[in-house]
Amino acid sequence: MTDPERVDHAGPIPGGRVRHGTGVNATRAFPTEAHPTNRDPFVLFERFYIDPDAGFPMHPHRGFEIVSYMLDGGMEHEDSLGVSHTAREGDAMRITTGGGIRHSEFPADGAACNGLQLWVNLPRERKEIEADYADAAAADLPTATEDGATVTTVIGDGSPLELHTPMEYLDARVDDAWTWTVPDNRTGFAFGVAGAGTADGDRIDAGDVLPVDGGRSVEFAPEDSDSSSDDDDTEFRVVCVAGEPHGEPIRQRGPYVL
């Protein structure tokens, strides 16, 4: 399925730097100057870095779902549903903002943290559903060894977290050639998390995004150790996300998706 508003790229492109008004820095995959559109059903995707003295005070959201996946450190979440939870490395949280929710996010234990956050649009008929929250510990997310990679399923088969949009969200630690395929009826992207490698032969680094059309298979491989002397000990890690498009305009207005 093709979204006429999106911009497709043949190879990986660098993410854009974003500084939130609360003092939080992020590397955003899209929308950015290099990739100015959303990718239906995905509103935005970024890696956030929260310093010990920064964070997001209580603020509102509505009209979409949020998936936060921690890479390092801990993040304290509180919301208007009465939930208070600290997510740590490898843990994930899902918030259905629906008709409206307020929440805050701060680093735990007086230490910095970083992770990945994905916004997924809600289809028009579900924009005003009741807000909801769920979380999963790292041990609850299925991890399997495949040809060329160790893959954790954040969202998808076996994960306890579900969204209102059919999708998969994989965290792959690639140690040899590994292939990811996006089904014909889905829109996808890959994002470099750590190390360096290739995607169909094109170099992809941490912070780069590769938009992927439905029906495409991408072969990832770690960078040849002979080509780098500084990063030999850094594993090549990439997240791969694909979802079923809604075929509806994505109208983001700050913390709201209308």
Side-chain angles (χ1 to χ4, degrees):
M1 182 178 294
T2 300
D3 179 355
E5 296 183 358
R6 79 187 187 197
V7 177
D8 290 316
H9 298 266
I13 58 175
R17 299 291 184 180
V18 174
R19 183 169 176 81
H20 296 281
T22 54
V24 175
N25 295 300
T27 300
R28 181 167 293 180
F30 60 85
T32 64
E33 183 176 347
H35 192 301
T37 61
N38 313 106
R39 291 190 63 78
D40 181 16
F42 306 117
V43 180
L44 66 79
F45 182 83
E46 66 182 28
R47 180 172 185 173
F48 59 84
Y49 301 85
I50 309 180
D51 291 331
D53 58 351
F56 296 97
M58 195 68 70
H59 58 283
H61 288 298
R62 62 182 170 89
F64 63 103
E65 297 187 276
I66 303 169
V67 179
S68 297
Y69 182 50
M70 297 305 298
L71 298 177
D72 186 53
M75 185 170 71
E76 297 176 349
H77 162 93
E78 292 188 2
D79 64 39
S80 53
L81 300 176
V83 174
S84 179
H85 176 74
T86 299
R88 302 189 183 278
E89 181 178 348
D91 296 347
M93 298 184 288
R94 186 269 295 150
I95 302 172
T96 301
T97 69
I101 192 173
R102 295 175 60 82
H103 78 140
S104 63
E105 298 159 309
F106 286 100
D109 309 318
C113 67
N114 74 87
L116 304 172
Q117 190 163 101
L118 172 70
W119 290 15
V120 186
N121 195 22
L122 279 168
R124 182 67 47 204
E125 70 274 10
R126 299 184 186 179
K127 288 285 185 181
E128 298 299 322
I129 61 174
E130 186 175 349
D132 189 35
Y133 168 91
D135 57 61
D140 297 329
L141 301 176
T143 298
T145 300
E146 302 180 5
D147 289 342
T150 301
V151 181
T152 296
T153 300
V154 182
I155 305 291
D157 291 343
S159 171
L161 299 179
E162 295 183 353
L163 280 75
H164 289 269
T165 299
M167 60 168 288
E168 72 172 0
Y169 182 146
L170 308 177
D171 175 10
R173 300 169 187 266
V174 183
D175 56 23
D176 202 345
W178 174 72
T179 299
W180 174 55
T181 299
V182 177
D184 287 336
N185 64 338
R186 296 196 173 186
T187 297
F189 67 91
F191 181 82
V193 174
T198 59
D200 283 345
D202 294 321
R203 183 183 172 97
I204 181 169
D205 292 295
D208 289 351
V209 60
L210 173 69
V212 182
D213 291 336
R216 177 180 171 185
S217 292
V218 182
E219 183 180 84
F220 295 96
E223 184 179 51
D224 186 342
S225 60
D226 293 336
S227 64
S228 172
S229 59
D230 297 328
D231 298 327
D232 290 349
D233 294 330
T234 302
E235 66 179 353
F236 176 40
R237 185 176 179 185
V238 60
V239 295
C240 298
V241 182
E244 187 175 301
H246 300 144
E248 300 171 350
I250 294 176
R251 293 191 288 265
Q252 181 191 352
R253 300 293 184 270
Y256 307 126
V257 182
L258 307 178

